[in-house]
Amino acid sequence: MAGKTLYDKLWQDHLVAENEDGSALIYIDRQLLHEVTSPQAFEGLKIAGRKPRRIEANLATPDHNVPTTDRTNGIADPVSRIQVQTLDDNCDAYGVTEFKMDDVRQGIVHIVGPEQGYTLPGLTMVCGDSHTATHGAFGAMAFGVGTSEVEHVLATQCLRQKKMKNMLVRVDGKLGTGVTAKDVVLAVIGEIGTAGGNGHAIEFAGSAIEDLSMEGRMTICNMAIEAGARVGLVAVDDKTIEYVKGRPFAPKGEHWDMAVEAWKDLHSDADAEFDRVVELKAEDIIPQVTWGTSPEMVKPVTDNIPNPDKETNAVKKEGIERALLYMDMKAETPITSIPLDKVFIGSCTNARIEDLREAAAVAKGRKVASSIKQAMVVPGSGLVKEQAEAEGLDKIFVEAGFEWREPGCSMCLAMNADRLESGEHCASTSNRNFEGRQGQGGRTHLVSPAMAAAAAVHGHFVDVRELELDKELANVSEVH
Amino acid sequence: MEAFTQHTGLVVPLDRSNVDTDAIIPKQFLKSIKRTGFGPNLFDEWRYLDHGEPGMDNSKRPLNPDFVMNKERYKGASILLARENFGCGSSREHAPWALEDYGIKAVIAPSFADIFFNNCFKNGILPIVLDHATMDALFEQTEANEGFKLDIDLGKQTITMPNGDVINFDVEPDRKHNLYNGLDDIGITLKQEDAITAYEQERAKRAPWLFSS
């Protein structure tokens, strides 16, 4: 009999019951809550007269709606204010631990969880947010759910699920200088498409993944959903354990030793069989830029925008034509010629300390191009912001002409005041380039933090591998 | 949740692939703390010519005449035809809430994104997967025949065309049972209270660090 995959092990470990109808009841160890997808779940509980089963299995923070400018006067938008207030009220009423907007630990849920050691290897974890796959970087089965399931977990600590298929994405070799985790995951999405991972849990493995820092692994798992997979996974190794050790919610003392022992099994067995295997060579990956309105519409920075006339599949051809129309771009023109208006460095994909270091290594000693209307850096949490300031990164950004903001989801989805105006092109370190995602009529190009910073100083995309980087900062980025 | 047993309705064809949940219901409408009232903002950016914000009187906004759902012949449609990977992107349940509030009872596509597919069943919407050839034929028929209606029977797992032709579809037995009977998932799970408690006790022994606060 073949061995088990990491996903098989996590599934087996959390199986409460297998039902006759083919579904399974799965135990959910921890849930993250934010203001957008939880109000109706709490309301549902109240209407049904139900109580949360395990309050301590939930951690909350507002992130989608919070302003990234001065917060001393609260939130100006009354609708956003009510939503954040509702989260505060629900957490207070039920006794859920919440890092409120004025708490230094507040930030994007997917940055806060790992930073606090709330995310641990071997867990099942959910959140009413599709980027919950991020936490799979720790060898945890983490996935996004809708509000009904947020309520289901609050009430029962379980979910009714179907087991997914196993997919392995193996990236072997050494990534070139200036090529980051973001480029790897964009290249994977380009390869398998945005529906390629539907119905699968994707495990990322291979020497290039092992070489990545925990931050890099989180970036990769974060975007598993952009390849259609609800779950992204990386096996536990020494780096994982080292990262978790000593964090506020991490196990302590005897429990720590016991936990580390249990976590050592969190990898796929050597003879495990996957339903699908995709292999990429690290050396082939070039810094990536999305040109269209879906993350699979991605090209190396050295390439040209595709020509729909060369596409034989009619539905795909129409998709390319529609994307070029929306993005106002011409087929077969170089990626480096795309005009840019704004630059956004942030989001649950790329707003961790290492991301900011990578961007700062490019920004140091340079200036944002005069043609760029706005370039902003939004740290992923209050603690990331603090650390960046302790390292002087904020000064590098401000001197270069970037805005240094307060933590939150910000322009990744533009629920707060940070957004694109119609027609503007943005180099963005976020995860989705859908129509209108960053503001109605806005045009998003997904890139790595280093590529975004390089685009900011040049006013258009450049191959970051050709730039001279600040040695000290670049080195810091390489020491994981 | 409203049960879905059988439904006959007008069909509207949305002929584009990878329709994401940002398109189904744009982010500015996610600020609502209610489950209802999202229908007028379904596909907001495609449906209207101006920029929509919560609190606007949608009946006074300029409609985009080119958007398929705005065409007179598709007014009142309750069955949506879509292409590959419908509902990709964000996990927002506001997407099925908006479809449901608009009056959509079923979405038929060659494939769906996982989270959206799951969310539909929690809200009384039946998502049906059909092969590409059948989808192409349905698109063609819908566009060629004004007033084209389909009859969907969940019990029999059939779609009946106006000419009497029948298309069979698959649906997982547990999802079918719950949707057909309009059952509350939480209520069903709570009946397994003993199994949950037993699991918790065993898990607390294996992973005590998750149970000490």
Side-chain angles (χ1 to χ4, degrees):
Chain A
M1 205 180 110
K4 286 180 179 165
T5 66
L6 173 55
Y7 174 71
D8 293 339
K9 291 180 185 181
L10 291 166
W11 175 268
Q12 194 61 42
D13 249 11
H14 291 86
L15 196 58
V16 174
E18 282 177 290
N19 304 315
E20 282 172 19
D21 59 16
S23 69
L25 197 61
I26 289 292
Y27 195 76
I28 304 301
D29 292 312
R30 286 180 172 170
Q31 173 158 249
L32 295 163
L33 299 165
H34 64 85
E35 78 277 20
V36 180
T37 54
S38 68
Q40 297 89 347
F42 280 110
E43 187 193 47
L45 276 189
K46 240 173 273 173
I47 291 169
R50 291 172 178 142
K51 294 234 172 334
R53 185 178 175 90
R54 286 182 62 208
I55 289 296
E56 73 279 14
N58 298 277
L59 177 68
T61 191
D63 55 7
H64 285 62
N65 277 274
V66 297
T68 57
T69 46
D70 179 29
R71 292 173 176 176
T72 43
N73 294 320
I75 304 175
D77 175 0
V79 195
S80 288
R81 189 167 65 234
I82 290 170
Q83 198 167 49
V84 171
Q85 185 62 50
T86 305
L87 177 69
D88 292 353
D89 293 348
N90 283 323
C91 289
D92 289 348
Y94 289 100
V96 175
T97 302
E98 185 199 5
F99 302 147
K100 293 194 167 79
M101 203 170 75
D102 58 358
D103 191 314
V104 72
R105 297 168 295 180
Q106 177 268 337
I108 307 172
V109 281
H110 308 309
I111 294 200
V112 169
E115 184 173 82
Q116 291 294 321
Y118 197 71
T119 304
L120 295 174
L123 294 186
T124 41
M125 226 175 161
V126 297
C127 175
D129 189 284
S130 61
H131 291 110
T132 309
T134 309
H135 310 271
F138 291 81
M141 184 167 108
F143 52 95
V145 295
T147 298
S148 294
E149 293 195 324
V150 171
E151 183 184 339
H152 198 125
V153 172
L154 281 169
T156 68
Q157 214 54 50
C158 291
L159 280 179
R160 312 186 77 78
Q161 293 287 300
K162 291 276 154 57
K163 196 171 175 207
M164 301 173 204
K165 287 183 182 167
N166 283 290
M167 186 189 296
L168 178 68
V169 172
R170 172 175 282 283
V171 190
D172 278 316
K174 288 252 177 255
L175 292 174
T177 307
V179 182
T180 67
K182 182 65 164 287
D183 302 304
V184 173
V185 73
L186 284 172
V188 170
I189 296 163
E191 176 78 22
I192 69 174
T194 49
N198 281 5
H200 290 78
I202 300 181
E203 180 174 345
F204 298 93
S207 57
I209 304 295
E210 288 162 22
D211 286 347
L212 288 173
S213 64
M214 289 310 296
E215 280 92 343
R217 294 177 190 181
M218 283 187 251
T219 298
I220 294 210
C221 289
N222 172 278
M223 288 189 71
I225 187 69
E226 263 56 70
R230 291 176 83 177
V231 168
L233 287 167
V234 175
V236 171
D237 62 10
D238 292 345
K239 265 184 217 170
T240 323
I241 292 169
E242 196 50 42
Y243 183 97
V244 170
K245 194 173 185 179
R247 293 188 182 262
F249 287 86
K252 309 265 178 324
E254 235 177 85
H255 282 171
W256 172 256
D257 298 335
M258 202 178 160
V260 169
E261 200 48 43
W263 296 342
K264 282 183 180 160
D265 187 45
L266 294 173
H267 54 81
S268 290
D269 295 334
D271 58 343
E273 278 175 18
F274 289 83
D275 299 286
R276 188 177 169 196
V277 178
V278 175
E279 290 179 332
L280 276 80
K281 262 198 228 152
E283 288 81 2
D284 294 346
I285 301 173
I286 290 170
Q288 305 278 305
V289 180
T290 65
W291 55 268
T293 52
S294 162
E296 70 185 22
M297 293 174 167
V298 65
K299 287 278 182 195
V301 63
T302 49
D303 212 334
N304 291 338
I305 291 161
N307 188 341
D309 295 339
K310 291 183 180 164
E311 176 59 58
T312 48
N313 177 314
V315 175
K316 278 195 179 153
K317 180 175 189 283
E318 211 196 331
I320 296 173
E321 282 168 348
R322 190 180 273 130
L324 291 181
L325 190 68
Y326 180 85
M327 298 296 284
D328 190 26
M329 292 192 311
K330 283 200 180 69
E332 302 204 353
T333 50
I335 293 281
T336 49
S337 69
I338 298 169
L340 293 172
D341 302 286
K342 286 183 177 169
V343 175
F344 171 64
I345 297 174
S347 87
C348 58
T349 311
N350 279 132
R352 298 177 184 84
I353 188 67
E354 181 181 286
D355 301 314
L356 303 190
R357 286 179 194 144
E358 279 170 4
V362 174
K364 191 167 182 183
R366 296 189 169 96
K367 292 278 179 208
V368 171
S370 59
S371 57
I372 298 289
K373 295 177 201 163
Q374 184 182 38
M376 56 196 288
V377 183
V378 184
S381 71
L383 292 172
V384 168
K385 181 168 184 263
E386 251 187 18
Q387 189 177 344
E389 288 172 356
E391 295 178 16
L393 304 185
D394 59 323
K395 290 198 182 65
I396 294 172
F397 287 123
V398 171
E399 275 165 22
F402 288 85
E403 295 172 27
W404 179 245
R405 297 294 192 97
E406 297 296 324
C409 299
S410 181
M411 209 200 274
C412 172
L413 86 166
M415 265 189 89
N416 69 354
D418 311 334
R419 65 188 64 170
L420 299 182
E421 297 302 322
S422 188
E424 287 180 338
H425 284 265
C426 179
S428 177
T429 67
S430 55
N431 41 57
R432 291 192 173 129
N433 52 345
F434 299 153
E435 285 185 19
R437 170 79 177 182
Q438 294 191 291
Q440 188 165 6
R443 297 160 177 157
T444 303
H445 302 278
L446 305 175
V447 286
S448 73
M451 283 288 288
V457 300
H458 287 270
H460 58 85
F461 290 114
V462 292
D463 187 343
V464 71
R465 297 174 302 172
E466 289 169 7
L467 294 187
E468 198 172 312
L469 304 183
D470 179 86
K471 287 211 173 67
E472 200 183 331
L473 279 165
N475 281 340
V476 168
S477 309
E478 279 170 22
V479 177
H480 300 320
Chain B
M1 183 180 80
E2 204 180 317
F4 185 114
T5 49
Q6 178 277 334
H7 176 76
T8 306
L10 187 68
V11 184
V12 58
L14 184 62
D15 196 0
R16 53 199 288 172
S17 53
N18 293 314
V19 170
D20 58 77
T21 53
D22 274 82
I24 297 173
I25 183 83
K27 81 291 252 132
Q28 62 269 35
F29 305 106
L30 272 51
K31 296 177 187 181
S32 166
I33 57 170
K34 303 257 171 271
R35 269 176 199 261
T36 51
F38 296 101
N41 302 110
L42 175 71
F43 297 117
D44 198 274
E45 292 185 5
W46 294 341
R47 198 163 147 197
Y48 301 97
L49 292 170
D50 63 343
H51 174 75
E53 282 293 333
M56 285 169 85
D57 180 353
N58 295 295
S59 65
K60 298 201 170 115
R61 295 175 59 200
L63 291 170
N64 173 7
D66 296 332
F67 183 57
V68 68
M69 290 177 105
N70 288 335
K71 300 196 185 226
E72 200 51 45
R73 59 179 285 197
Y74 296 122
K75 288 271 165 70
S78 56
I79 297 171
L80 181 68
L81 293 188
R83 294 290 189 185
E84 269 179 357
N85 203 25
F86 187 79
C88 62
S90 155
S91 65
R92 59 190 68 167
E93 200 160 320
H94 310 67
W97 293 341
L99 287 164
E100 193 261 351
D101 198 57
Y102 179 90
I104 298 294
K105 302 281 183 198
V107 186
I108 311 177
S111 65
F112 292 89
D114 294 350
I115 304 179
F116 175 82
F117 185 77
N118 194 41
N119 283 339
C120 281
F121 283 99
K122 315 279 182 199
N123 293 283
I125 297 174
L126 176 61
I128 298 174
V129 178
L130 296 179
D131 63 65
H132 286 278
T134 312
M135 285 309 307
D136 286 345
L138 280 179
F139 268 97
E140 205 176 292
Q141 291 272 333
T142 306
E143 280 155 16
N145 302 294
E146 193 162 338
F148 185 79
K149 286 186 176 184
L150 288 173
D151 177 79
I152 302 172
D153 189 317
L154 177 58
K156 293 187 193 147
Q157 295 181 218
T158 56
I159 301 170
T160 308
M161 310 262 277
N163 65 4
D165 284 356
V166 171
I167 303 165
N168 295 299
F169 63 89
D170 288 332
V171 56
E172 291 158 310
D174 57 319
R175 294 191 193 273
K176 176 181 174 178
H177 178 77
N178 295 354
L179 185 59
Y180 193 85
N181 295 294
L183 297 178
D184 164 20
D185 261 11
I186 298 178
I188 298 168
T189 298
L190 285 174
K191 286 186 190 151
Q192 291 175 281
E193 168 63 35
D194 292 350
I196 301 172
T197 303
Y199 175 87
E200 250 168 11
Q201 286 168 354
E202 180 262 342
R203 179 103 176 111
K205 276 186 205 149
R206 272 193 297 142
W209 58 91
L210 298 178
F211 290 81
S212 58
S213 46

